[in-house]
Amino acid sequence: MKSALVLLGISASCCSATHVLQLSQEDLTRAFSAKPGSNSALAADTPSSVFPTINNYLNKNVKELGGSLVPCEELTHTQIDEIANKVQMKSVPALMDIYKKRNDNRAFVSFEGTDESDLHSERYNMTRDGKCAQAVMMWAHHIPYEARAALIGEGMRVPLMPKTPQTAHQNPTPLYSKLVSCGSCHYTAGAPGPFTDKAFPRWGGNETTTQYSVKVNMTDASHTPPKWQFNYYFNDDKKGERYEHLAGQDDDTCKLNTKIKPGNPCTIVFSGDEWTYISSPSAGCCKCAKGVMGAVRSDWLRDGTAKSLGNTTINGQVVNEWFKQGASDNHYYNLPDAAMTPVRFMEHDKGQIKQWDFLLETYAPGPQPDSLFEKPANCDKRCSSPLCLL
Protein backbone atom coordinates (compact mmCIF):
# COMPACT_ATOMS: atom_id res chain seq x y z
CA MET A 1 0.00 0.00 0.00
CA LYS A 2 3.02 2.31 -0.13
CA SER A 3 1.95 3.77 -3.46
CA ALA A 4 -1.33 5.11 -2.06
CA LEU A 5 0.44 6.53 0.97
CA VAL A 6 2.94 8.34 -1.22
CA LEU A 7 0.24 9.69 -3.51
CA LEU A 8 -1.68 11.11 -0.58
CA GLY A 9 1.38 12.56 1.08
CA ILE A 10 0.48 10.62 4.22
CA SER A 11 2.87 9.68 6.98
CA ALA A 12 1.07 7.08 9.05
CA SER A 13 2.60 6.91 12.50
CA CYS A 14 1.77 5.93 16.05
CA CYS A 15 3.03 6.60 19.52
CA SER A 16 5.86 4.11 19.06
CA ALA A 17 9.14 5.54 17.78
CA THR A 18 10.30 2.13 16.61
CA HIS A 19 7.32 0.97 14.59
CA VAL A 20 5.23 2.69 11.93
CA LEU A 21 1.65 1.54 11.48
CA GLN A 22 0.78 1.11 7.80
CA LEU A 23 -2.58 2.08 6.35
CA SER A 24 -3.98 -0.60 4.06
CA GLN A 25 -6.14 -0.02 1.00
CA GLU A 26 -9.11 -1.13 3.13
CA ASP A 27 -8.26 1.44 5.82
CA LEU A 28 -8.10 4.26 3.27
CA THR A 29 -11.22 3.20 1.39
CA ARG A 30 -13.16 3.12 4.65
CA ALA A 31 -11.83 6.56 5.64
CA PHE A 32 -12.80 8.14 2.32
CA SER A 33 -16.25 6.49 2.27
CA ALA A 34 -18.80 8.77 3.90
CA LYS A 35 -21.05 5.82 4.76
CA PRO A 36 -21.28 2.06 4.12
CA GLY A 37 -22.87 0.92 0.88
CA SER A 38 -26.51 -0.14 0.97
CA ASN A 39 -25.49 -3.82 0.67
CA SER A 40 -22.84 -3.62 3.39
CA ALA A 41 -23.11 -5.71 6.55
CA LEU A 42 -22.82 -2.40 8.41
CA ALA A 43 -25.85 -0.80 6.73
CA ALA A 44 -28.93 -0.75 8.96
CA ASP A 45 -32.46 -0.88 7.53
CA THR A 46 -33.96 1.29 10.28
CA PRO A 47 -32.54 3.82 12.74
CA SER A 48 -33.44 1.55 15.68
CA SER A 49 -31.38 -1.31 14.19
CA VAL A 50 -28.14 0.69 13.87
CA PHE A 51 -26.65 -0.48 17.17
CA PRO A 52 -27.52 -4.20 16.68
CA THR A 53 -26.13 -4.05 13.13
CA ILE A 54 -22.81 -2.68 14.36
CA ASN A 55 -22.73 -5.24 17.18
CA ASN A 56 -23.19 -8.09 14.71
CA TYR A 57 -20.13 -6.86 12.86
CA LEU A 58 -18.14 -6.39 16.08
CA ASN A 59 -18.91 -9.96 17.16
CA LYS A 60 -17.42 -11.26 13.94
CA ASN A 61 -14.54 -8.81 13.58
CA VAL A 62 -13.24 -8.87 17.16
CA LYS A 63 -13.52 -12.64 17.50
CA GLU A 64 -11.56 -13.09 14.25
CA LEU A 65 -8.76 -11.16 15.97
CA GLY A 66 -8.98 -13.47 18.99
CA GLY A 67 -10.48 -10.78 21.19
CA SER A 68 -13.47 -10.50 23.49
CA LEU A 69 -16.32 -8.03 23.85
CA VAL A 70 -17.95 -6.49 26.90
CA PRO A 71 -21.53 -5.19 27.11
CA CYS A 72 -21.65 -1.43 27.41
CA GLU A 73 -23.97 -1.66 30.39
CA GLU A 74 -21.28 -3.45 32.43
CA LEU A 75 -18.81 -0.58 32.11
CA THR A 76 -18.41 2.60 34.13
CA HIS A 77 -17.53 5.94 32.58
CA THR A 78 -13.99 5.60 33.88
CA GLN A 79 -13.54 2.17 32.31
CA ILE A 80 -14.81 3.42 28.95
CA ASP A 81 -12.49 6.42 29.17
CA GLU A 82 -9.56 4.08 29.75
CA ILE A 83 -10.48 2.02 26.67
CA ALA A 84 -10.87 5.15 24.55
CA ASN A 85 -7.52 6.51 25.73
CA LYS A 86 -5.79 3.26 24.72
CA VAL A 87 -7.34 3.50 21.26
CA GLN A 88 -6.46 7.18 20.94
CA MET A 89 -2.82 6.45 21.78
CA LYS A 90 -2.67 4.32 18.63
CA SER A 91 -4.70 6.65 16.40
CA VAL A 92 -3.16 7.53 13.05
CA PRO A 93 -2.89 11.27 12.27
CA ALA A 94 -3.40 10.58 8.56
CA LEU A 95 -6.88 9.20 9.20
CA MET A 96 -7.80 12.13 11.42
CA ASP A 97 -6.61 14.56 8.73
CA ILE A 98 -8.90 12.89 6.18
CA TYR A 99 -11.93 13.25 8.46
CA LYS A 100 -11.18 16.83 9.45
CA LYS A 101 -10.68 18.01 5.87
CA ARG A 102 -13.99 16.40 4.84
CA ASN A 103 -15.95 17.71 7.87
CA ASP A 104 -16.66 14.08 8.70
CA ASN A 105 -18.39 13.14 11.98
CA ARG A 106 -15.65 10.61 12.61
CA ALA A 107 -13.23 13.42 13.41
CA PHE A 108 -15.12 14.23 16.61
CA VAL A 109 -13.68 13.00 19.90
CA SER A 110 -14.96 14.23 23.26
CA PHE A 111 -14.94 12.41 26.57
CA GLU A 112 -16.24 14.55 29.39
CA GLY A 113 -16.03 13.25 32.94
CA THR A 114 -19.12 12.37 34.93
CA ASP A 115 -19.36 12.02 38.70
CA GLU A 116 -19.39 8.28 39.41
CA SER A 117 -21.63 8.96 42.44
CA ASP A 118 -24.38 9.66 39.89
CA LEU A 119 -24.17 5.96 39.00
CA HIS A 120 -27.18 4.47 37.17
CA SER A 121 -29.15 7.71 36.91
CA GLU A 122 -30.83 8.25 33.53
CA ARG A 123 -28.32 10.95 32.63
CA TYR A 124 -25.37 8.80 33.69
CA ASN A 125 -26.58 5.83 31.63
CA MET A 126 -27.22 8.00 28.58
CA THR A 127 -23.71 9.44 28.73
CA ARG A 128 -22.28 5.94 29.28
CA ASP A 129 -24.10 4.75 26.16
CA GLY A 130 -22.78 7.72 24.21
CA LYS A 131 -19.22 7.02 25.35
CA CYS A 132 -19.51 3.38 24.27
CA ALA A 133 -20.69 4.46 20.83
CA GLN A 134 -17.82 6.93 20.52
CA ALA A 135 -15.26 4.34 21.69
CA VAL A 136 -16.53 1.86 19.08
CA MET A 137 -16.31 4.57 16.39
CA MET A 138 -12.70 5.28 17.39
CA TRP A 139 -11.90 1.54 17.33
CA ALA A 140 -13.32 1.18 13.83
CA HIS A 141 -12.20 4.46 12.23
CA HIS A 142 -9.21 5.96 14.06
CA ILE A 143 -6.80 3.02 14.02
CA PRO A 144 -5.76 0.53 11.32
CA TYR A 145 -6.22 -3.25 11.48
CA GLU A 146 -2.70 -3.74 12.82
CA ALA A 147 -3.37 -1.49 15.82
CA ARG A 148 -6.63 -3.27 16.63
CA ALA A 149 -4.80 -6.59 16.68
CA ALA A 150 -2.13 -5.10 18.97
CA LEU A 151 -4.69 -3.78 21.47
CA ILE A 152 -6.42 -7.14 21.63
CA GLY A 153 -3.03 -8.76 22.14
CA GLU A 154 -2.60 -6.46 25.15
CA GLY A 155 -5.83 -7.85 26.62
CA MET A 156 -8.18 -4.98 25.85
CA ARG A 157 -11.88 -5.90 25.72
CA VAL A 158 -13.89 -4.04 23.09
CA PRO A 159 -17.19 -2.49 24.24
CA LEU A 160 -20.39 -3.38 22.44
CA MET A 161 -22.84 -0.73 21.30
CA PRO A 162 -25.59 0.01 23.88
CA LYS A 163 -28.70 -2.14 24.17
CA THR A 164 -30.89 0.97 24.29
CA PRO A 165 -31.29 2.32 20.73
CA GLN A 166 -30.76 5.97 20.01
CA THR A 167 -34.41 6.23 18.97
CA ALA A 168 -35.56 5.40 22.51
CA HIS A 169 -34.29 8.68 23.97
CA GLN A 170 -37.01 11.31 23.70
CA ASN A 171 -34.88 14.06 25.24
CA PRO A 172 -31.22 13.26 24.53
CA THR A 173 -28.60 15.41 26.20
CA PRO A 174 -26.40 17.56 23.92
CA LEU A 175 -23.37 15.42 24.84
CA TYR A 176 -25.18 12.19 23.96
CA SER A 177 -26.24 13.63 20.60
CA LYS A 178 -22.62 14.57 19.84
CA LEU A 179 -21.22 11.20 20.87
CA VAL A 180 -23.79 9.13 18.99
CA SER A 181 -23.50 10.26 15.38
CA CYS A 182 -23.26 6.78 13.83
CA GLY A 183 -26.94 6.66 12.93
CA SER A 184 -26.53 9.43 10.36
CA CYS A 185 -24.26 7.16 8.29
CA HIS A 186 -25.05 3.55 9.21
CA TYR A 187 -28.76 4.01 8.58
CA THR A 188 -28.63 4.01 4.80
CA ALA A 189 -32.22 3.27 3.77
CA GLY A 190 -33.80 5.81 1.46
CA ALA A 191 -37.05 6.07 3.39
CA PRO A 192 -37.33 7.80 6.75
CA GLY A 193 -37.03 5.57 9.80
CA PRO A 194 -39.80 4.82 12.29
CA PHE A 195 -39.02 7.81 14.52
CA THR A 196 -39.08 10.34 11.67
CA ASP A 197 -40.94 13.49 12.65
CA LYS A 198 -42.74 14.85 9.59
CA ALA A 199 -42.45 18.32 11.11
CA PHE A 200 -38.78 18.16 10.12
CA PRO A 201 -38.11 19.16 6.50
CA ARG A 202 -36.46 17.05 3.88
CA TRP A 203 -33.43 18.45 2.11
CA GLY A 204 -35.09 20.98 -0.17
CA GLY A 205 -38.73 20.66 0.77
CA ASN A 206 -41.49 18.74 2.54
CA GLU A 207 -42.50 15.09 2.88
CA THR A 208 -43.23 14.72 -0.84
CA THR A 209 -40.21 16.61 -2.20
CA THR A 210 -37.79 14.16 -3.81
CA GLN A 211 -36.74 16.21 -6.85
CA TYR A 212 -36.17 19.92 -7.44
CA SER A 213 -33.90 22.54 -8.97
CA VAL A 214 -32.78 25.94 -7.68
CA LYS A 215 -30.11 28.59 -8.17
CA VAL A 216 -27.82 29.13 -5.19
CA ASN A 217 -25.69 32.02 -3.98
CA MET A 218 -22.62 30.35 -2.46
CA THR A 219 -20.56 31.95 0.32
CA ASP A 220 -17.37 30.28 1.53
CA ALA A 221 -15.33 32.71 3.61
CA SER A 222 -12.27 30.43 3.56
CA HIS A 223 -12.01 30.69 -0.24
CA THR A 224 -10.86 33.31 -2.72
CA PRO A 225 -13.16 34.53 -4.12
CA PRO A 226 -15.57 33.87 -1.25
CA LYS A 227 -18.78 34.17 -3.31
CA TRP A 228 -20.12 32.62 -6.52
CA GLN A 229 -23.31 31.06 -7.90
CA PHE A 230 -24.31 27.59 -9.03
CA ASN A 231 -27.38 25.88 -10.46
CA TYR A 232 -28.39 22.94 -8.31
CA TYR A 233 -30.44 19.88 -9.30
CA PHE A 234 -31.51 17.14 -6.90
CA ASN A 235 -33.10 13.73 -7.52
CA ASP A 236 -33.41 11.59 -4.40
CA ASP A 237 -35.14 8.83 -6.37
CA LYS A 238 -31.94 8.31 -8.37
CA LYS A 239 -29.56 9.32 -5.54
CA GLY A 240 -28.42 12.00 -7.97
CA GLU A 241 -27.17 15.56 -7.73
CA ARG A 242 -25.89 18.07 -10.26
CA TYR A 243 -23.93 21.25 -9.50
CA GLU A 244 -23.34 23.72 -12.34
CA HIS A 245 -20.81 26.13 -10.82
CA LEU A 246 -20.71 29.37 -12.78
CA ALA A 247 -17.73 31.54 -13.73
CA GLY A 248 -15.82 32.80 -10.72
CA GLN A 249 -16.27 29.58 -8.72
CA ASP A 250 -13.71 28.30 -6.22
CA ASP A 251 -15.26 24.92 -5.39
CA ASP A 252 -13.03 22.25 -3.81
CA THR A 253 -14.54 19.35 -5.77
CA CYS A 254 -14.01 21.18 -9.08
CA LYS A 255 -10.31 21.37 -8.20
CA LEU A 256 -10.10 17.57 -8.30
CA ASN A 257 -10.20 17.92 -12.09
CA THR A 258 -6.79 19.59 -12.28
CA LYS A 259 -7.33 20.61 -15.91
CA ILE A 260 -10.05 23.10 -14.94
CA LYS A 261 -8.52 26.55 -14.61
CA PRO A 262 -9.34 28.55 -11.46
CA GLY A 263 -12.59 30.44 -11.82
CA ASN A 264 -13.76 28.60 -14.95
CA PRO A 265 -17.26 27.08 -14.97
CA CYS A 266 -17.43 23.52 -13.65
CA THR A 267 -20.13 20.84 -13.52
CA ILE A 268 -20.24 18.06 -10.90
CA VAL A 269 -22.57 15.08 -11.30
CA PHE A 270 -23.39 12.38 -8.76
CA SER A 271 -25.22 9.93 -10.98
CA GLY A 272 -26.16 7.31 -8.39
CA ASP A 273 -23.47 4.86 -9.56
CA GLU A 274 -21.15 6.01 -6.72
CA TRP A 275 -18.76 7.84 -9.10
CA THR A 276 -18.28 11.61 -9.09
CA TYR A 277 -18.02 13.20 -12.56
CA ILE A 278 -16.26 16.58 -12.83
CA SER A 279 -16.22 18.49 -16.12
CA SER A 280 -15.96 21.82 -17.89
CA PRO A 281 -16.34 22.73 -21.57
CA SER A 282 -12.65 23.60 -21.93
CA ALA A 283 -11.07 20.89 -19.74
CA GLY A 284 -13.25 17.89 -20.53
CA CYS A 285 -14.46 15.35 -17.99
CA CYS A 286 -12.88 12.99 -15.48
CA LYS A 287 -14.27 10.81 -12.71
CA CYS A 288 -13.32 10.55 -9.05
CA ALA A 289 -12.91 7.42 -6.92
CA LYS A 290 -16.00 5.28 -6.50
CA GLY A 291 -17.71 5.69 -3.13
CA VAL A 292 -15.55 8.60 -1.95
CA MET A 293 -18.36 11.16 -2.31
CA GLY A 294 -22.09 11.06 -2.95
CA ALA A 295 -25.38 12.93 -3.07
CA VAL A 296 -26.93 14.48 0.02
CA ARG A 297 -29.47 12.25 1.77
CA SER A 298 -32.89 13.88 1.62
CA ASP A 299 -33.71 12.75 5.18
CA TRP A 300 -30.49 13.84 6.90
CA LEU A 301 -32.47 16.07 9.28
CA ARG A 302 -34.80 13.19 10.13
CA ASP A 303 -32.52 10.63 11.77
CA GLY A 304 -33.39 11.65 15.32
CA THR A 305 -30.35 13.81 16.08
CA ALA A 306 -31.59 17.17 14.72
CA LYS A 307 -33.63 19.71 16.65
CA SER A 308 -35.71 22.80 16.03
CA LEU A 309 -34.28 26.18 17.07
CA GLY A 310 -37.59 27.93 16.48
CA ASN A 311 -38.05 30.95 14.24
CA THR A 312 -35.60 33.55 13.03
CA THR A 313 -35.50 36.14 10.25
CA ILE A 314 -33.53 36.04 6.97
CA ASN A 315 -33.75 38.96 4.54
CA GLY A 316 -36.89 40.18 6.27
CA GLN A 317 -38.65 36.82 6.09
CA VAL A 318 -39.61 34.69 9.07
CA VAL A 319 -38.11 31.19 8.68
CA ASN A 320 -37.83 27.97 10.67
CA GLU A 321 -34.32 27.09 11.84
CA TRP A 322 -33.11 23.50 12.32
CA PHE A 323 -29.82 22.36 13.81
CA LYS A 324 -27.83 19.15 13.62
CA GLN A 325 -24.35 18.73 15.06
CA GLY A 326 -21.90 16.72 13.00
CA ALA A 327 -18.22 17.36 12.43
CA SER A 328 -19.43 20.96 12.10
CA ASP A 329 -22.58 22.86 13.06
CA ASN A 330 -25.29 22.32 10.43
CA HIS A 331 -28.06 24.92 10.26
CA TYR A 332 -30.97 24.59 7.80
CA TYR A 333 -33.68 27.19 7.23
CA ASN A 334 -37.04 26.94 5.45
CA LEU A 335 -40.16 29.04 5.04
CA PRO A 336 -43.01 28.13 7.42
CA ASP A 337 -45.22 27.19 4.46
CA ALA A 338 -46.73 23.85 3.45
CA ALA A 339 -43.97 23.28 0.88
CA MET A 340 -41.24 23.87 3.51
CA THR A 341 -39.47 25.95 0.85
CA PRO A 342 -35.69 25.93 1.43
CA VAL A 343 -34.08 29.28 2.23
CA ARG A 344 -30.54 28.67 3.50
CA PHE A 345 -28.02 26.05 4.61
CA MET A 346 -25.14 27.24 6.80
CA GLU A 347 -22.18 25.69 8.62
CA HIS A 348 -18.72 26.74 9.75
CA ASP A 349 -15.62 25.32 8.07
CA LYS A 350 -12.34 25.94 9.92
CA GLY A 351 -14.19 28.56 11.93
CA GLN A 352 -15.39 30.46 8.86
CA ILE A 353 -18.86 30.63 7.40
CA LYS A 354 -19.93 28.34 4.54
CA GLN A 355 -23.42 29.07 3.29
CA TRP A 356 -25.96 28.29 0.58
CA ASP A 357 -28.65 30.91 -0.05
CA PHE A 358 -31.44 29.46 -2.20
CA LEU A 359 -32.85 32.00 -4.68
CA LEU A 360 -36.55 31.47 -4.01
CA GLU A 361 -37.71 32.80 -7.38
CA THR A 362 -35.79 29.96 -9.07
CA TYR A 363 -36.95 27.13 -6.78
CA ALA A 364 -38.76 24.49 -8.85
CA PRO A 365 -39.90 21.35 -6.99
CA GLY A 366 -40.95 18.44 -9.16
CA PRO A 367 -39.50 15.97 -11.68
CA GLN A 368 -36.13 16.84 -13.20
CA PRO A 369 -34.86 15.47 -16.55
CA ASP A 370 -33.07 12.13 -16.08
CA SER A 371 -30.35 13.30 -18.44
CA LEU A 372 -29.10 15.79 -15.84
CA PHE A 373 -27.95 12.94 -13.60
CA GLU A 374 -26.47 10.60 -16.19
CA LYS A 375 -22.78 9.88 -16.60
CA PRO A 376 -21.37 12.46 -19.05
CA ALA A 377 -20.08 11.26 -22.40
CA ASN A 378 -16.35 10.55 -22.69
CA CYS A 379 -15.86 10.47 -18.94
CA ASP A 380 -14.07 7.18 -18.24
CA LYS A 381 -10.69 8.57 -17.21
CA ARG A 382 -9.84 9.04 -13.54
CA CYS A 383 -9.09 12.57 -12.38
CA SER A 384 -5.39 12.91 -11.61
CA SER A 385 -5.90 14.26 -8.08
CA PRO A 386 -4.61 11.67 -5.51
CA LEU A 387 -8.02 11.42 -3.84
CA CYS A 388 -9.55 10.28 -7.12
CA LEU A 389 -7.03 7.52 -7.72
CA LEU A 390 -8.01 5.33 -4.77
Side-chain angles (χ1 to χ4, degrees), residues 142-280:
H142 288 191
I143 59 176
Y145 178 91
E146 184 181 354
R148 291 196 287 273
L151 286 169
I152 284 175
E154 295 169 7
M156 192 187 90
R157 292 192 301 168
V158 180
L160 284 162
M161 296 293 282
K163 291 179 181 177
T164 303
Q166 183 180 356
T167 56
H169 296 294
Q170 297 300 314
N171 296 296
T173 63
L175 176 59
Y176 178 83
S177 297
K178 285 183 180 180
L179 293 173
V180 184
S181 61
C182 42
S184 61
C185 295
H186 285 271
Y187 165 51
T188 59
F195 67 88
T196 291
D197 184 344
K198 291 185 180 180
F200 283 69
R202 282 182 177 270
W203 172 245
N206 63 14
E207 178 68 19
T208 63
T209 308
T210 59
Q211 300 185 45
Y212 64 95
S213 63
V214 67
K215 195 167 193 172
V216 176
N217 281 340
M218 181 71 193
T219 301
D220 192 334
S222 66
H223 285 225
T224 304
K227 294 180 181 288
W228 66 91
Q229 289 187 322
F230 63 89
N231 297 316
Y232 179 68
Y233 305 87
F234 182 77
N235 186 330
D236 191 49
D237 301 320
K238 290 184 173 294
K239 308 303 177 195
E241 275 183 311
R242 182 184 182 94
Y243 299 75
E244 295 177 353
H245 291 279
L246 306 182
Q249 61 82 20
D250 192 46
D251 182 74
D252 287 333
T253 303
C254 289
K255 294 174 184 177
L256 296 176
N257 184 337
T258 56
K259 294 183 179 180
I260 298 177
K261 294 181 179 180
N264 279 8
C266 161
T267 297
I268 301 164
V269 175
F270 298 115
S271 68
D273 62 1
E274 297 189 4
W275 289 98
T276 304
Y277 301 99
I278 309 166
S279 65
S280 77

